[in-house]
Amino acid sequence: MSRAASEAAPAGSIEASGGNEEPGQPRSRGRFTAWLRRHRVPLLLLLLLCAVVIASVWGRADHDTAALSPANPAPDGAMAAAEILADRGVDVQHHQTMAEALAALEDNPGATLLFLDPSGFLTGEQRRDLADAAGRVVLVEPSFEQLADFAPEIRSAGLLPEDPERHRLDAGCSNRDAEAAGAVEAGGKTYRGPVTCFPAPGSQGTDAAGSYAATTSGSAVVLGSADLIANESVAREGNAALAFRTLGADDTLVWYQAGPFDVPPSEAPADPFSLLPAWVNPLLFWLLLVACAAAFWRGRRLGPLMEEPLPVIVHAAETAEGRARLYQDSQAVAHAAATLRAAALTRLAAHLRVGPGAGVDTVTRATANASGRSYSETDHLLNQRLPGTGAELVRWARDLKDLEEEATSS
């Protein structure tokens, strides 16, 4: 019996301890639920921010996403053209810094340079260094400054007319590369040069502007549209033929895309936010809207005024005395006099029955007739007299009371 009791004791102690812990669990769970309820707004915002960060990191592709990049398979990339050129024996070297591009041009004298700088990161001196190092330069939709440094013989001639579809442009020149392409389908800019091909609709003669321009020696070629080498449009019409013959003229093609790291320190923008991706500002604006919506949702909003009965009864005399003391403490003699004058005129008008629309002059004349005083004396007391001190206000109030008693006693 003693052994059984000793063996039963631990079990009983365990059951007791377990029974003591059970009531604490609902309390801790309730405290946690209350804490979640109090902090649900910042927790939701934190979870939302984490979701945005995870989505941006998870959705980031491993490949290059820059437009016209030879490593970008997206519609605006140029991987298709780069791979076909490589299959045809062209050494395509993709560089994203100027130092690498210059080194590649020095290692491969006479190589073709495909220059892409739509944001204008490079300075004129940097562009001239590249032009001196390259044997041949191909520009895609260049700016005025880029033309002046790489191909001064070629001039910008504006944009192709707006059209829902890309324009089909015939060669219209005797250039071998253009004749091999026959026709291209592209939009974008137009240029004029010693050799101008694929003229814009309605552009004819010696001053015609086209989507392809080159110098007399062929050392500089301008492509007026990124459609000629972009993945989504390189296979249309003769775009591929023109792109391959233009970019594959030499054994080595240095494909250089300028970036913000090539900007000299002296030319760097003063605002570092200008280097942020384009999606940062919309995201910040969206987060601001969310924060404002949360503040409006959780903020205290005052409703209309509500009448509520007082817990005690306040007599009219006490209210009047309290208001008078306020006037006295603030030295508001003029305001107190105006209040007394208005109250006296109201009582006199009601007693003399001059009508609700009667003016001050009518009430004054009726008061003078009822009191037996002259009009000038009554008007001076009722309307003209302006007490300047507390003592004058007391005396004037007494005179006003006497006038009112005289007028109402009859």
Side-chain angles (χ1 to χ4, degrees), residues 188-215:
K189 302 179 180 179
T190 60
Y191 298 87
R192 293 187 180 94
V195 179
T196 304
C197 303
F198 305 103
S203 180
Q204 299 177 353
T206 57
D207 199 36
S211 189
Y212 176 98
T215 59

Side-chain angles (χ1 to χ4, degrees), residues 104-196:
L105 292 172
E106 292 175 357
D107 295 339
N108 301 276
T112 297
L113 170 66
L114 174 58
F115 179 76
L116 299 168
D117 186 14
S119 300
F121 289 117
L122 300 190
T123 63
E125 183 179 356
Q126 290 174 309
R127 290 191 293 265
R128 287 188 289 272
D129 291 341
L130 287 170
D132 294 339
R136 184 168 168 270
V137 179
V138 179
L139 308 173
V140 179
E141 299 186 16
S143 63
F144 293 100
E145 294 81 4
Q146 294 170 6
L147 284 175
D149 294 325
F150 286 106
E153 302 176 41
I154 301 175
R155 306 183 310 277
S156 179
L159 299 172
L160 283 170
E162 293 185 3
D163 195 284
E165 302 292 337
R166 293 178 176 84
H167 297 274
R168 185 185 185 279
L169 308 174
D170 295 323
C173 66
S174 58
N175 180 271
R176 291 183 301 174
D177 296 340
E179 290 178 343
V184 297
E185 185 178 325
K189 302 179 180 179
T190 60
Y191 298 87
R192 293 187 180 94
V195 179
T196 304

Side-chain angles (χ1 to χ4, degrees), residues 354-382:
V354 295
V360 175
D361 184 69
T362 303
V363 176
T364 303
R365 290 186 181 278
T367 304
N369 294 333
S371 63
R373 299 190 184 189
S374 63
Y375 173 80
S376 58
E377 180 184 359
T378 306
D379 180 61
H380 176 74
L381 180 60
L382 270 178

